[in-house]
Amino acid sequence: MAQPAKLSSSAGSGHKYRLAYVVNEVCVLRYDNEVGKDGHRHVDGEEVSHTFTTPAQLIADFWRDVNQRRNLQ
């Protein structure tokens, strides 16, 4: 089951985050941000840009992608 991380204060968006969806011990989807990088997501090993707007929208976007992945399986 996916368990979003707690959001905390950081540079850039003002939040540091990492949300991961793991299937059979393999991370197939991850949203995160890092020092020196804007928000992005990792999908099947590829990094794709993601614009952070609010914590609520971040979580909604994450769960939308998780549900799309579940429908593909």
Side-chain angles (χ1 to χ4, degrees), residues 7-71:
L7 299 174
S8 62
S9 222
S10 184
S13 67
H15 296 88
K16 174 71 178 154
Y17 58 88
R18 180 175 295 159
L19 297 86
Y21 177 52
V22 178
V23 177
N24 297 323
E25 299 183 26
V26 175
C27 182
V28 295
L29 173 67
R30 185 173 79 239
Y31 278 63
D32 63 2
N33 63 354
E34 305 167 22
V35 174
K37 280 190 171 183
D38 290 330
H40 56 277
R41 58 192 178 126
H42 302 261
V43 182
D44 296 324
E46 291 191 33
E47 190 173 302
V48 180
S49 179
H50 177 267
T51 303
F52 178 92
T53 55
T54 66
Q57 187 61 55
L58 171 69
I59 292 169
D61 292 346
F62 174 75
W63 282 111
R64 178 201 62 222
D65 287 353
V66 166
N67 288 329
Q68 287 176 348
R69 295 292 306 205
R70 287 178 175 164
N71 290 335

